[in-house]
Amino acid sequence: MNAPTGQRASSDRIHPSSLRPARLTLRPPTFPPGPVCGAWWPCSDDLPAELPALIAAFDLSWGRVTRMAAHRSAWPQAPCDLPVAGHTVRAAWFASGFDPHAIRLFAYGVGRRDLLIVPPGTETATAERLMTAAADPALRLTASALLQDAGGSRPAGDT
C-alpha cells in the first residue's frame, strides 16, 4: 500500500500569517505520550491561516502531517481540506466524543499527536503556564482538564 501524500497546495491559498513560527511546546520524545503531548497557542481562530505554521513545525521534526481532527466548536471555519506548504491536510470534525480543547495531528506511518489548543485570546502568563503544563511528562491531564485547572479562557463556541 502506498503512503497517502495529499495534494499539492496552491501557494495563493496559503495565508501570509503562516510564515511566522508556531507557538508550540512539546513533551520530550523520550517520554510516553499522555492525553496531550504538548500545546499549541494560535494567534487567531482562523484555522486556515494558523495551521500551516503548526504543520510546518511537525513536518520538519516528526514527519509529514496528512490529517488532523478537532471538535467542530473550536473553530468558526471547518474546511475539509487545508492547504499547507507543499501539500493538503485532510480534516475531520467531531461534534461529540472529542475534547473540544484539543487538536489531533496524524503523520502516515508515524502515528498521532494530541495537543492542547490554548485559546488565542488567552493572557500571556496563563498561556505560558498552560503550555508548560501540557508538555510536562508528569502531568496526565486532558486538554479540557488543563484549561479548567488553569482557569483559562475557553475557545469561542464552547459552553
Side-chain angles (χ1 to χ4, degrees), residues 132-152:
T132 299
D136 184 343
L139 291 178
R140 310 255 331 143
L141 299 174
T142 65
S144 289
L146 284 164
L147 277 172
Q148 185 176 12
D149 279 2

Side-chain angles (χ1 to χ4, degrees), residues 63-118:
R64 179 177 245 184
V65 175
T66 57
R67 295 180 297 133
M68 59 128 314
H71 195 278
R72 177 61 193 99
S73 69
W75 305 97
Q77 298 177 44
C80 292
D81 294 316
L82 292 147
V84 297
H87 65 289
T88 299
V89 173
R90 299 280 306 175
W93 300 102
F94 296 90
S96 64
F98 195 93
D99 191 324
H101 307 291
I103 188 167
R104 181 172 291 161
L105 304 176
F106 298 89
Y108 186 79
V110 180
R112 78 176 206 212
R113 297 282 167 95
D114 291 9
L115 301 172
L116 161 69
I117 302 168
V118 178

Side-chain angles (χ1 to χ4, degrees), residues 6-144:
Q7 298 143 0
R8 173 92 34 214
S10 170
S11 61
D12 62 334
R13 291 173 40 203
I14 298 174
H15 197 278
S17 68
S18 66
L19 301 175
R20 70 176 176 276
R23 298 185 293 183
L24 176 68
T25 59
L26 297 173
R27 182 180 297 239
T30 56
F31 287 89
V36 294
C37 65
W40 174 44
W41 185 21
C43 294
S44 74
D45 65 358
D46 183 357
L47 185 62
E50 297 291 338
L51 191 66
L54 177 65
I55 299 303
F58 275 96
D59 281 356
L60 291 173
S61 65
W62 182 51
R64 179 177 245 184
V65 175
T66 57
R67 295 180 297 133
M68 59 128 314
H71 195 278
R72 177 61 193 99
S73 69
W75 305 97
Q77 298 177 44
C80 292
D81 294 316
L82 292 147
V84 297
H87 65 289
T88 299
V89 173
R90 299 280 306 175
W93 300 102
F94 296 90
S96 64
F98 195 93
D99 191 324
H101 307 291
I103 188 167
R104 181 172 291 161
L105 304 176
F106 298 89
Y108 186 79
V110 180
R112 78 176 206 212
R113 297 282 167 95
D114 291 9
L115 301 172
L116 161 69
I117 302 168
V118 178
T122 303
E123 292 181 9
T124 301
T126 301
E128 288 172 353
R129 281 193 310 275
L130 285 165
M131 293 179 80
T132 299
D136 184 343
L139 291 178
R140 310 255 331 143
L141 299 174
T142 65
S144 289

